[in-house]
Amino acid sequence: MNLLPSPAAFAVAALVSLPFSPAVQAETLRVIVSWPSTLGQVSELLPEFQRGVTEATGGAITFHNSGPEVIPPFEQLEPLSQGVFDLHYGSPTYHQAQTGVGAVIDGLLKTDPEALRASGVMDFINDYYRQNFGVEVLALFSAPQNQFVLRAPLSENGRLDGLKIRTVAAFEGLTRALGGSPVAMAAAEAYAAIERGVIDGAAWPIHAAADYRLYEVADYITRPGFGHTSLVLMVNAARFDALPEEHRTILREQARALEQNGAAFMAALAESQTATMLENGVEIVEFPPEVASEIGRNYFEGTLALARNSQPAAVDALVEFARSAGMMLDQE
């Protein structure tokens, strides 16, 4: 009778003797996105970030995306703060109902993310958002300027006098300064409103006008462009802090890559969108020099006034700190 242990027994004994190393639990992070999945900043930039994270974690982190059809764009900060979602990809100015700090981030700060970090401004922002909303900014990068998309040319004086213009809150101040009448309206409603003549045009990002097929209902776009917008990737701080350190590091690294690629992608997207508008018969109409020279100041002042409508003390604190660090847009 053979009393020697079998090879299988040796294998089992070897496995039992190895130190126990539990597998890292797979995580699916829930993402709430402000824009439809058809827009370039969603269909291309966001998946690139997510693929980078999933690959770098060996599949341990995956993502599930929900869009504005689930939570409206202007209501997405609260469910992120409450932990209903783990990440949020959108525009910080959409959070105006909760805080005007988002409007400062969106349109009044200089656009270099590395400079914002080196200056301490990003730390200031994240201290504020963690303390007040339990979230952190992982990535922040700029999109190109905005424009007015119009059914008819500018008024005789080269302004928007007498025109009803679809706006979001960030564009209201400039629209009024140019003589127009702001009409608050969701982006999805603007096409039909212009087509029916309910409004005369819309303030709109240069990088998205063709995606909404506004060339079918409007004949003119204005130049020079005005302001800029920012895209932000935020994370629920408690959810983020609970992840393994190596996964937090990967998320930060991929977020920095998103910043580095994002601004260039958005600039190229704006050029492509403008080309599509022109190919479909839309004409560029220029503001006269005396009007154009005031657009930058009017936009800045209008955005700052908007920001101060919500948590003005926090807005002023950020503006003061950013200005001391040389990171306000009007210091360029």
Side-chain angles (χ1 to χ4, degrees):
M1 181 176 180
N2 185 4
L3 298 179
L4 292 175
S6 69
F10 276 118
V12 170
L15 286 173
V16 170
S17 67
L18 290 174
F20 177 68
S21 178
V24 175
Q25 183 177 358
E27 303 272 3
T28 297
L29 300 182
R30 300 156 298 179
V31 187
I32 184 66
V33 183
S34 292
W35 306 289
S37 59
T38 54
L39 299 188
Q41 66 262 37
V42 180
S43 64
E44 298 192 45
L45 279 182
L46 183 59
E48 182 179 353
F49 161 77
Q50 293 176 336
R51 282 192 299 270
V53 172
T54 298
E55 291 173 3
T57 60
I61 291 183
T62 57
F63 299 89
H64 176 76
N65 298 335
S66 300
E69 69 281 357
V70 175
I71 303 289
F74 300 103
E75 301 174 16
Q76 293 180 353
L77 178 60
E78 184 175 355
L80 176 72
S81 179
Q82 294 174 345
V84 178
F85 294 94
D86 304 311
L87 291 164
H88 163 55
Y89 181 57
S91 169
T93 199
Y94 291 174
H95 310 151
Q96 177 65 26
Q98 291 79 38
T99 174
V101 166
V104 177
I105 297 170
D106 186 58
L108 301 185
L109 296 181
K110 292 184 180 180
T111 59
D112 182 351
E114 293 300 323
L116 288 172
R117 288 191 174 87
S119 67
V121 172
M122 188 67 81
D123 288 337
F124 188 100
I125 290 169
N126 274 331
D127 287 345
Y128 168 77
Y129 272 102
R130 273 186 170 260
Q131 291 173 16
N132 290 273
F133 301 100
V135 306
E136 179 178 327
V137 175
L138 286 180
L140 176 68
F141 60 95
S142 65
Q145 292 183 309
N146 308 289
Q147 64 192 344
F148 292 101
V149 182
L150 303 172
R151 299 178 72 207
L154 296 167
S155 302
E156 290 185 6
N157 60 3
R159 291 161 44 90
L160 301 175
D161 290 355
L163 302 182
K164 299 186 293 295
I165 303 295
R166 173 266 177 188
T167 67
V168 293
F171 301 149
E172 286 184 9
L174 175 61
T175 299
R176 288 195 179 94
L178 291 173
S181 300
V183 179
M185 183 179 295
E189 301 172 8
Y191 180 104
I194 296 173
E195 184 178 37
R196 297 195 307 266
V198 174
I199 56 176
D200 301 297
W204 209 271
I206 292 175
H207 65 261
D211 277 340
Y212 282 85
R213 304 180 70 86
L214 295 183
Y215 51 79
E216 295 179 346
V217 293
D219 294 324
Y220 301 93
I221 52 178
T222 62
R223 293 295 184 273
F226 56 88
H228 73 272
T229 54
S230 297
L231 285 72
V232 68
L233 179 69
M234 288 180 161
V235 63
N236 177 278
R239 185 74 164 94
F240 184 67
D241 294 344
L243 293 172
E245 181 179 357
E246 61 267 30
H247 289 176
R248 296 198 302 272
T249 298
I250 288 169
L251 280 164
R252 290 191 190 281
E253 290 173 348
Q254 293 301 319
R256 296 287 280 272
L258 174 63
E259 287 181 339
Q260 293 167 6
N261 299 332
F265 174 87
M266 295 303 294
L269 183 61
E271 291 185 8
S272 173
Q273 291 277 299
T274 298
T276 300
M277 295 289 284
L278 298 180
E279 288 166 4
N280 282 275
V282 174
E283 298 179 25
I284 292 175
V285 59
E286 296 276 350
F287 286 106
E290 65 274 15
V291 177
S293 64
E294 298 295 320
I295 286 178
R297 178 180 59 82
N298 287 335
Y299 180 80
F300 187 94
E301 292 178 354
T303 301
L304 185 57
L306 163 71
R308 285 177 172 149
N309 287 335
S310 180
Q311 295 203 5
V315 167
D316 289 342
L318 173 57
V319 169
E320 180 180 356
F321 184 85
R323 194 174 295 285
S324 71
M327 293 305 298
M328 292 295 289
L329 199 61
D330 65 344
Q331 293 177 296
E332 289 187 337

